């Protein structure tokens, strides 16, 4: 059984990069900046997100990230996220990898492990088992963890265009501090895959830091 975050298939042609962190850390901004950087390097890029990534996933997304904070329990969330992830891999992520593209994904398995596992109290190994059994044991080549004080992040979400997607934001500061703590736990456990980025810096400094680590992965540095 694959139970390590460091698993990578030797047959992959592209690279799979994920962005993780709490609410309002600037993942979307940095993904767009990284895309521009990679396109200048003549690299093929696909941007996607979870929940979502497919037509069906985007439709179901609104029921997961909007509405009452108690709409789903954590077990239901975990099962739904895994079902959407399987389709996401089948229809978008794996085809892009096989096409030699660089996939930039806003959230992936780490969010499930943190939100539903470490904070939602589902046994971590059960979530690994779901992923390995139904989502092909596909782990990112690199995960960029944007580290930011949750008070700052939550304050930023007030001014977002998608401020109706606020189901998780409604869970309060204590909850989001636990989310940050959870991502730090994963970072310490899997330092070969997860890079922590100080998201309190300017977006330009953050972008430069991300570009460096991605260039190391893709061997783009001169």
């Amino acid at each position: 059984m694959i139970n390590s975050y460091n698993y990578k298939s030797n047959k992959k042609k592209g690279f799979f990069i994920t962005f993780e962190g709490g609410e309002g850390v600037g993942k979307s901004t940095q993904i767009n900046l990284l895309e521009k950087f990679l396109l200048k390097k003549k690299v093929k890029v696909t941007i996607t997100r979870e929940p979502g990534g497919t037509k069906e996933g985007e439709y179901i997304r609104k029921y997961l990230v909007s509405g009452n904070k108690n709409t789903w329990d954590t077990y239901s969330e975990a099962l739904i996220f895994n079902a959407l992830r399987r389709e996401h891999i089948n229809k978008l992520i794996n085809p892009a990898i096989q096409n030699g593209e660089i996939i930039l994904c806003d959230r992936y398995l780490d969010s499930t492990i943190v939100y539903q596992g470490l904070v939602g109290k589902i046994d971590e190994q059960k979530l690994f088992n779901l992923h390995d059994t139904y989502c092909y044991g596909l782990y990112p080549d690199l995960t960029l963890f944007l580290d930011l004080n949750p008070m700052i992040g939550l304050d930023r979400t007030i001014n977002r265009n998608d401020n109706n997607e606020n189901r998780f934001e409604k869970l309060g500061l204590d909850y989001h501090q636990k989310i940050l703590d959870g991502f730090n736990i994963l970072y310490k456990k899997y330092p070969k895959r997860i890079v922590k980025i100080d998201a309190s810096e300017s977006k330009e400094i953050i972008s430069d830091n991300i570009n460096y680590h991605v260039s190391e992965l893709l061997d783009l540095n001169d």
Side-chain angles (χ1 to χ4, degrees):
M1 177 182 296
I2 300 164
N3 58 10
S4 168
Y5 271 83
N6 297 321
Y7 167 80
K8 291 194 289 185
S9 168
N10 292 326
K11 296 182 179 180
K12 291 196 299 185
K13 299 177 181 178
F15 287 88
F16 183 26
I17 300 171
T18 58
F19 285 70
E20 296 284 3
E23 307 302 324
V25 298
K27 292 184 278 73
S28 297
T29 296
Q30 292 303 323
I31 286 171
N32 290 331
L33 290 173
L34 179 56
E35 179 192 30
K36 292 178 182 178
F37 171 78
L38 291 174
L39 290 176
K40 288 180 180 178
K41 299 286 186 178
K42 308 300 182 183
V43 175
K44 294 185 290 185
V45 180
T46 291
I47 292 179
T48 188
R49 66 178 181 176
E50 291 198 351
T54 66
K55 179 180 178 181
E56 297 80 8
E58 291 293 330
Y59 177 78
I60 295 173
R61 175 185 172 90
K62 61 185 176 183
Y63 298 106
L64 290 165
V65 300
S66 305
N68 190 292
K69 63 183 181 181
N70 297 316
T71 299
W72 311 98
D73 71 10
T74 52
Y75 285 90
S76 297
E77 287 175 345
L79 291 169
I80 296 169
F81 280 125
N82 272 275
L84 295 180
R85 185 166 297 131
R86 179 181 173 88
E87 292 300 310
H88 194 193
I89 293 170
N90 285 338
K91 296 176 180 177
L92 191 147
I93 295 174
N94 190 55
I97 289 172
Q98 296 307 316
N99 193 40
E101 299 180 31
I102 308 303
I103 301 92
L104 308 180
C105 188
D106 185 341
R107 297 199 184 280
Y108 188 66
L109 175 63
D110 290 307
S111 283
T112 302
I113 297 296
V114 171
Y115 280 78
Q116 285 75 47
L118 297 176
V119 179
K121 306 300 184 184
I122 297 178
D123 180 78
E124 187 177 338
Q125 191 57 51
K126 290 182 178 178
L127 295 175
F128 276 120
N129 291 344
L130 274 173
H131 184 74
D132 294 337
T133 302
Y134 299 107
C135 296
Y136 312 101
L138 178 63
Y139 295 84
D141 297 287
L142 174 67
T143 294
L144 298 157
F145 158 38
L146 301 186
D147 178 28
L148 184 68
N149 185 316
M151 185 177 295
I152 298 173
L154 289 173
D155 188 59
R156 288 179 179 178
T157 65
I158 295 173
N159 299 315
R160 290 195 311 201
N161 292 329
D162 59 349
N163 57 12
N164 62 313
E165 294 191 348
N166 61 0
R167 178 171 168 255
F168 287 97
E169 285 90 329
K170 293 176 183 177
L171 294 170
L173 183 60
D174 289 345
Y175 174 85
H176 289 283
Q177 182 60 55
K178 293 177 182 177
I179 294 296
L180 177 60
D181 294 342
F183 279 115
N184 272 301
I185 288 172
L186 293 189
Y187 163 68
K188 291 175 183 177
K189 289 178 72 173
Y190 309 107
K192 291 183 179 180
R193 177 179 64 82
I194 301 176
V195 172
K196 181 157 71 170
I197 305 292
D198 183 356
S200 67
E201 299 280 5
S202 70
K203 67 179 182 180
E204 291 81 12
I205 291 175
I206 296 169
S207 179
D208 287 343
N209 197 359
I210 289 172
N211 291 347
Y212 170 79
H213 288 289
V214 172
S215 295
E216 285 285 293
L217 174 70
L218 305 181
D219 196 23
L220 298 176
N221 287 325
D222 297 327

